[in-house]
């Protein structure tokens, strides 16, 4: 399954670890923002560069089968600018399934087509189960 991970930039190193776990069980991670240099957020950019970065994220998401959205607890000090909310809205509009890892941040997080997990541990277990169901051999005809 092709998976796009969306999260606050300040959690990038943490999310890179989760992406490695997803790859280890056979999933493809489409989030190219995870492979940018660590200081990429602080590189001065003009509006055109920022716009192309946003387009690239949406292109990555368009080719995905699932968006895993990492949300923030109220009062979090993570460097979050809200791009993940744009990505979630885009996924919802394109009927790309969304799994939330963390608390529900707003009313859209209660959408009936969104699955919620308290922690990555539970989401990773569900991804493992998805992988098993996709690779199970077909039932033998009798």
């Amino acid at each position: 399954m092709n998976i796009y991970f969306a999260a606050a930039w300040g959690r990038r190193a943490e999310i890179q670890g989760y992406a490695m776990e997803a790859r280890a069980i056979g999933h493809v991670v489409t989030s190219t923002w995870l492979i940018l240099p660590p200081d990429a957020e602080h590189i001065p950019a003009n509006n055109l560069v920022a716009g192309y970065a946003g387009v690239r994220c949406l292109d990555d998401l368009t080719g995905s089968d699932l968006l895993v959205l990492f949300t923030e607890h109220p009062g979090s000090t993570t460097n979050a600018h809200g791009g993940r909310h744009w990505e979630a809205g885009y996924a919802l509009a394109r009927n790309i399934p969304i799994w939330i890892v963390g608390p529900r941040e707003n009313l859209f997080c209660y959408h009936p087509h969104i699955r919620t997990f308290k922690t990555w541990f539970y989401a990773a277990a569900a991804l493992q189960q998805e992988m098993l169901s996709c690779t199970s051999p077909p039932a033998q005809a009798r």
Side-chain angles (χ1 to χ4, degrees), residues 16 45 60 62 88 90 99 134:
Q16 286 171 329
D60 292 347
T62 299
Y90 184 80
W99 289 7
C134 290

Side-chain angles (χ1 to χ4, degrees), residues 5-81:
F5 286 95
W9 177 268
R11 295 181 67 184
R12 194 171 74 89
E14 172 193 358
I15 306 305
Q16 286 171 329
Y18 301 151
M20 286 176 51
E21 289 180 38
R23 285 187 198 100
I25 59 173
H27 296 289
V28 175
V29 176
T30 62
S31 312
T32 56
W33 71 273
L34 291 173
I35 59 172
L36 294 173
D39 62 346
E41 183 187 36
H42 304 293
I43 296 172
N46 61 35
N47 292 339
L48 185 60
V49 171
Y52 280 119
V55 168
R56 179 155 185 185
C57 288
L58 295 181
D59 284 346
D60 292 347
L61 182 52
T62 299
S64 301
D65 304 305
L66 173 68
L67 166 67
V68 177
L69 173 64
F70 292 85
T71 57
E72 300 299 319
H73 291 278
S76 170
T77 58
T78 305
N79 187 7
H81 300 290

Side-chain angles (χ1 to χ4, degrees), residues 81-127:
H81 300 290
R84 67 190 185 286
H85 297 297
W86 283 82
E87 292 161 334
Y90 184 80
L92 194 58
R94 296 185 64 86
N95 295 313
I96 297 169
I98 300 171
W99 289 7
I100 291 176
V101 178
R104 290 179 168 130
E105 293 181 298
N106 57 54
L107 66 96
F108 295 103
C109 296
Y110 292 89
H111 191 281
H113 295 131
I114 294 178
R115 208 168 154 188
T116 305
F117 300 90
K118 187 173 183 177
T119 66
W120 170 248
F121 175 83
Y122 296 108
L127 280 177

